[in-house]
Amino acid sequence: MTYRGRHRRRRRGRALRAGLAGTAFALTAVATLISTSQATVADDPGALKPLTSAADTGPLRLTEQLVPPDSLDRLAESMGGSVGVGAVLADADRMLRAGDECTSDERGALPVEPAATRAYCWGEDDTRAVRAGAVTTSGDADADGRWGANRVILSGWSGTGDGDDRARVAFVDANDPERLTYTWALLVVPVDGGRDYRALGSDLSGLVWYEDKLLVTADDGRSLYICDLDRIQRADVDAEAVGRVPGGFAADGDRFVLPAVGSYRLTGGPEARFAAVSLDRSTAPDSLVASGPVGADDERPTGLWRYSFSGDPGRAGLLATGRDGTADADAAYTTRMADVQGVLSYSAPGTVRSRWYLARASDGPAAHGSLWRQDTDGTHTARCGADETYLCWSGSAQSLSLWEETGEVWSQSGRMLFSLPLSTIDSSLE
C-alpha cells in the first residue's frame, strides 16, 4: 500500500554523513547577526522563589480520567490489534538529513553557544504544513536508554492552526546516529465507546515518554493527554480523512494512530496551564516537571512545578494520585523569566538541590533565544558574540529532554533536531 499524506510527498533516500558526534557546528556567521540591541532584551531573572502555601499550589492539582479498557479493546480489535514501537520503526522509511547537509537557513535555528554536537534536519516537503513541538526519547522511557532493543526519539508536530491543528508524532529510529529514519503516527482520541476516533488537536509544546506512556500537552495547556505505546494501531486506509471510513480506518495519510487512554486536567483557574514539560530521573521517585505560559508583557511570574510518578506496578507510566484520582504538585517555584518554552530539572549525583534549565523564546522569528540555569540561589546563562549577548540559544526554544544514559540534552527548533551534552551546557553557563 502506498501512503501519501498531504504534508509529505517524497521519500527521503540520502544517507546521512558521519562525523557529527563530538563535533561543534561553526555558527560564527550566525552570531554576528545577533545585534547589540537584542542583548538587553531580558534582565537577570534572579533566583527561584519556592511556593509553599496551599493557595499557591492548589491550582496545580491534576484530575486523572482514564478511558474505559473496554473502549480501548474495542478499538484495537476493530483495527486488527495493537502493535508496538518496534513495528512502527520497521516501517520508518523517511530520512533526516545530517547537519552538514542542511541549508544555512536551517542551521540558523541551532544554538550559537553552547553549540550542538549532533544535528539533523527534517525535509521541507514533510514538514511544510506542520510546526515543530517538543521532543522526548527512549532515554526518558527507560533508564538504560532503550525501548526493547531500540534507541528511539519521538518528535511532536502540530498543524499550522489554519483549520488544521492535528497533532502527530514522528517515531525516529536512532539506533544508527549516522542514519536516522522515521515515520509518523497521528494522535487520536477514541469516541463512541471505541468504535471510532477523532484527531487530537493540540500544540505539542510538551512531550514526556515514561515507561509505556506518552504524556502530551493539550487543550491549550489545560490538560495532559495520556497515550499508551503498547496500544499503537495501524491505519489500513490511505485517505485524508480521520477515523472510520469505508473499508477500515484512516489517519490523514499516516500509517499509524496512537490513541489517548486518558488525561490529566488542571483544576485551577484560567492561569493554570502547561507550557512545557519534561522528565526528571534524578528525583526519588522520578518526576514530571512543568512550566507555565507567561508572556514578556505579562507582569505575573512564571510557575515551575513537579509531580511524582506512581510506583504501583499496575499504574506503569502514570502519575501518583490519591484515592480521589488527583495528583498534587510535590514542589513549586516562581521565576521572573518570561516566555519559557523549554524546561528541564536535574540534580547531579551527590547533590540534593535541583538545577532548573529554562529555554526562553526569541523576540522574533529570526532572532535567537536564551538558555538559563536557575536554583534558589541565583541564575546563570551563556554569552556569545562580540557584544557578549546572552541570546545564544535556538530561536523558538522548543523543548529540553535529557537522555540521562548518554548525558545528552535533545531539542528541536524550526526544522532542526539537535543535541549536546548537559556537561557542555553547564560549562557554558556563567
Side-chain angles (χ1 to χ4, degrees):
M1 182 182 299
T2 301
Y3 286 76
R4 44 190 172 82
R6 68 177 182 279
H7 61 288
R8 55 236 182 246
R9 292 295 182 269
R10 296 194 305 235
R11 175 177 178 175
R12 294 296 183 188
R14 292 191 296 170
L16 303 179
R17 296 192 185 116
L20 282 178
T23 304
F25 287 92
L27 296 174
T28 305
V30 176
T32 61
L33 299 178
I34 303 175
S35 68
T36 303
S37 62
Q38 289 174 324
T40 59
V41 169
D43 297 324
D44 186 338
L48 297 179
K49 177 184 176 182
L51 298 179
T52 57
S53 73
D56 290 328
T57 60
L60 305 176
R61 178 173 294 166
L62 294 173
T63 298
E64 180 183 85
Q65 184 173 6
L66 301 179
V67 177
D70 288 349
S71 297
L72 298 172
D73 293 342
R74 183 178 292 114
L75 180 61
E77 183 178 355
S78 299
M79 300 186 70
S82 299
V83 300
V85 173
V88 178
L89 296 181
D91 273 351
D93 59 356
R94 294 173 171 82
M95 285 182 139
L96 286 100
R97 287 170 288 142
D100 57 356
E101 295 182 350
C102 306
T103 67
S104 58
D105 286 344
E106 289 169 333
R107 293 197 304 271
L110 292 171
V112 177
E113 177 66 31
T117 52
R118 299 180 189 271
Y120 310 88
C121 50
W122 304 87
E124 182 178 359
D125 289 350
D126 221 21
T127 57
R128 180 177 292 115
V130 290
R131 62 182 184 276
V135 171
T136 185
T137 73
S138 55
D140 281 342
D142 201 302
D144 70 359
R146 294 174 172 82
W147 189 249
N150 295 301
R151 293 181 178 273
V152 190
I153 299 169
L154 301 184
S155 170
W157 295 76
S158 303
T160 59
D162 299 329
D164 179 13
D165 57 356
R166 295 169 183 174
R168 290 177 164 86
V169 171
F171 282 68
V172 182
D173 184 339
N175 289 303
D176 182 355
E178 298 177 12
R179 188 178 186 276
L180 267 58
T181 59
Y182 67 97
T183 193
W184 297 96
L186 185 70
L187 299 185
V188 301
V189 179
V191 297
D192 192 20
R195 296 174 181 83
D196 204 349
Y197 56 76
R198 64 173 176 83
L200 173 60
S202 175
D203 180 7
L204 296 185
S205 62
L207 290 178
V208 168
W209 180 5
Y210 185 67
E211 298 187 359
D212 61 352
K213 302 299 190 300
L214 178 67
L215 304 182
V216 305
T217 53
D219 298 338
D220 196 27
R222 296 286 297 149
S223 301
L224 294 174
Y225 274 63
I226 310 162
C227 299
D228 189 331
L229 275 298
D230 290 329
R231 284 188 175 273
I232 304 169
Q233 271 103 48
R234 293 182 184 272
D236 53 3
V237 177
D238 177 19
E240 293 185 359
V242 174
R244 185 182 288 274
V245 296
F249 290 84
D252 194 22
D254 292 332
R255 299 176 180 176
F256 300 93
V257 296
L258 184 52
V261 300
S263 66
Y264 295 102
R265 186 165 181 83
L266 284 162
T267 59
E271 293 183 351
R273 290 188 295 144
F274 293 103
V277 295
S278 66
L279 178 71
D280 188 347
R281 281 190 167 273
S282 67
T283 58
D286 298 337
S287 58
L288 176 83
V289 298
S291 66
V294 174
D297 297 331
D298 199 322
E299 296 182 357
R300 294 180 299 120
T302 297
L304 307 172
W305 64 98
R306 72 170 74 243
Y307 306 96
S308 292
F309 279 97
S310 176
D312 183 347
R315 289 179 51 81
L318 299 177
L319 298 177
T321 59
R323 292 183 178 179
D324 60 353
T326 63
D328 290 310
D330 296 321
Y333 307 87
T334 59
T335 174
R336 296 202 308 268
M337 178 78 64
D339 289 331
V340 174
Q341 294 191 0
V343 61
L344 184 69
S345 173
Y346 184 70
S347 301
T351 64
V352 176
R353 178 180 298 163
S354 294
R355 291 174 163 181
W356 290 75
Y357 301 81
L358 307 178
R360 185 181 187 271
S362 64
D363 292 330
H368 278 72
S370 54
L371 181 66
W372 303 73
R373 188 183 69 210
Q374 284 188 281
D375 55 29
T376 52
D377 281 344
T379 304
H380 301 270
T381 189
R383 294 184 179 272
C384 59
D387 54 6
E388 289 291 287
T389 176
Y390 43 69
L391 297 179
C392 309
W393 193 246
S394 62
S396 61
Q398 289 282 9
S399 186
L400 297 170
S401 179
L402 175 62
W403 197 318
E404 189 172 14
E405 181 250 343
T406 64
E408 294 174 297
V409 174
W410 284 86
S411 186
Q412 65 182 12
S413 179
R415 286 201 294 271
M416 297 300 301
L417 173 69
F418 65 91
S419 72
L420 66 164
L422 180 61
S423 59
T424 300
I425 291 176
D426 279 329
S427 64
S428 73
L429 301 180
E430 300 176 355

